[in-house]
Amino acid sequence: MMDSIDINVDHCNVSNNATYITLSWIVVGQFALGLPLNLSVLYIFIFRFKFWKNKSIFLFNIVVADFLLVACLPAKAYHYQRGQRRSPNYIMCKTMLFMVFLNRGASIAFLVMLSIDRYFNVVHLGRRNFVKVLKRSPLISVVIWLFLLPLTIPTMLNTFECCNSYGRVNNTFSQNVTDTSREVVFFAEILLPFIILVFCTVRIVHRLRRKTVGDKSKLRRASYVVTSVVVLFSVCFLPSTIARAVLLAMRVVRPEVENVAAQVYDSLMVLSYIDCLLDPLVYCFCHSGFKDAYVTTFCPVFLQKRLLKLEFSSGIGTTTTTNSSGARTFSLQMLDK
């Protein structure tokens, strides 16, 4: 029978400095690339694209969440450089956990809303779309942010980042409840949105393949864009989720390999931060109006014509038309939704 784990043992000190120094430089690289990218995207959304007039409130909130998460990365790199899995300062530790999980949760929540909206626009065109009604008001964005606040409470604990939870000596009932609620929030935040994204993507792609009106190449590109959302989500979030499940199991059944499992988990969590770099590329730059505004603002003149010409010749959208019999065919300007 495995011995229980002493609650007083500090599981936040790293067991392999080389691993965490490497991770710290990866985080620095993510920050160096993510900060200017997200700042430039926010600038376009606010001053050039005017997201509130272009029905892009969900996209804007995704970028805001990504930007706030990028802002936390220097602190993460600093602690990894010092051989710490998290800040030893109580307030700093709580603040980091709050920022990371609030903004990561917000990014995922608005992504799900965006996917549901596209699902109704393609699969159930013409029916009442409650998401379309909701996204017209900025209040829905405020409600989503407020709803996420209480979900961060279980994760704002030192024990989360260091996984000093299950397997402790003389666990109390309150400790077991806290541990369980924290893990339920963490896994539900990833697995439930993943199920919704897969469902919406499969239905959208199936509907596109059955569509007989429109440019086949454009419809095929639209399918690739929709599928890329699920691929991005899977690459960024699923590995760290699986690694945490393994880490929790190892703490109880094979504590001697916990240090290795912790390094794998932390490495895959760092991988999940790359979502802040990929979100603008997958969501924003596939939106033709946003892409035009970005290119004309930041790209040199000699590149502008080439990029805009390329978009015109290989756009992924189709247009709504009415045929001679009066039947309406739907449009799929996929990321303009």
Side-chain angles (χ1 to χ4, degrees), residues 29-303:
Q30 291 172 334
F31 175 77
L33 295 174
L35 183 64
L37 176 60
N38 282 276
L39 277 176
S40 63
V41 169
L42 282 174
Y43 173 84
I44 296 299
F45 263 120
I46 297 172
F47 297 106
R48 293 294 308 276
F49 192 59
K50 298 182 179 179
F51 66 92
W52 60 91
K53 294 182 179 180
N54 289 282
K55 302 178 182 178
S56 300
I57 292 178
F58 291 160
L59 278 175
F60 174 74
N61 279 276
I62 290 175
V63 177
V64 170
D66 288 340
F67 170 73
L68 294 175
L69 184 55
V70 167
C72 299
L73 295 184
K76 177 68 68 176
Y78 173 77
H79 295 126
Y80 280 174
Q81 284 276 355
R82 294 174 63 87
Q84 299 164 340
R85 296 180 65 196
R86 50 87 172 161
S87 172
N89 181 278
Y90 182 80
I91 296 177
M92 183 65 177
C93 179
K94 296 279 189 181
T95 302
M96 281 291 296
L97 287 170
F98 172 75
M99 291 293 290
V100 168
F101 284 96
L102 174 65
N103 294 303
R104 196 166 96 136
S107 179
I108 293 172
F110 285 106
L111 168 60
V112 169
M113 296 295 289
L114 193 63
S115 296
I116 293 174
D117 184 41
R118 293 174 189 161
Y119 165 76
F120 279 105
N121 284 328
V122 177
V123 179
H124 298 293
L125 183 70
R127 295 185 184 180
R128 186 180 296 275
N129 181 351
F130 74 97
V131 180
K132 181 178 293 186
V133 175
L134 292 175
K135 74 177 184 179
R136 291 175 182 171
S137 171
L139 290 178
I140 185 59
S141 298
V142 177
V143 170
I144 291 175
W145 282 97
L146 292 177
F147 173 77
L148 291 170
L149 287 176
L151 295 181
T152 65
I153 294 175
T155 56
M156 276 200 305
L157 300 167
N158 297 357
T159 53
F160 179 88
E161 214 158 27
C162 302
C163 198
N164 190 5
S165 53
Y166 293 114
R168 292 173 295 194
V169 174
N170 299 322
N171 273 17
T172 66
F173 175 76
S174 61
Q175 287 172 341
N176 286 331
V177 170
T178 301
D179 291 343
T180 301
S181 62
R182 179 179 62 244
E183 303 306 331
V184 166
V185 168
F186 177 81
F187 288 105
E189 183 182 69
I190 303 298
L191 298 179
L192 291 180
F194 179 70
I195 293 172
I196 295 173
L197 288 175
V198 170
F199 172 79
C200 293
T201 300
V202 170
R203 293 297 306 275
I204 290 173
V205 171
H206 178 68
R207 182 68 183 91
L208 290 175
R209 288 178 177 175
R210 293 178 55 193
K211 190 172 184 294
T212 58
V213 178
D215 189 324
K216 292 295 182 182
S217 63
K218 292 181 179 180
L219 294 174
R220 192 160 46 247
R221 293 189 196 101
S223 297
Y224 292 153
V225 170
V226 176
T227 304
S228 68
V229 174
V230 176
V231 173
L232 169 62
F233 190 94
S234 301
V235 170
C236 291
F237 299 118
L238 288 186
S240 60
T241 305
I242 296 171
R244 183 161 186 86
V246 173
L247 175 55
L248 290 171
M250 291 301 101
R251 275 185 55 80
V252 177
V253 300
R254 294 192 62 187
E256 68 275 10
V257 300
E258 178 190 350
N259 287 333
V260 176
Q263 291 178 57
V264 173
Y265 168 68
D266 287 337
S267 299
L268 293 176
M269 279 295 291
V270 168
L271 173 66
S272 73
Y273 301 149
I274 201 173
D275 176 65
C276 301
L277 298 175
L278 298 180
D279 275 351
L281 302 178
V282 173
Y283 309 130
C284 300
F285 289 108
C286 290
H287 190 304
S288 59
F290 177 89
K291 182 180 177 182
D292 291 347
Y294 195 95
V295 168
T296 55
T297 302
F298 293 110
C299 293
V301 176
F302 72 92
L303 281 179

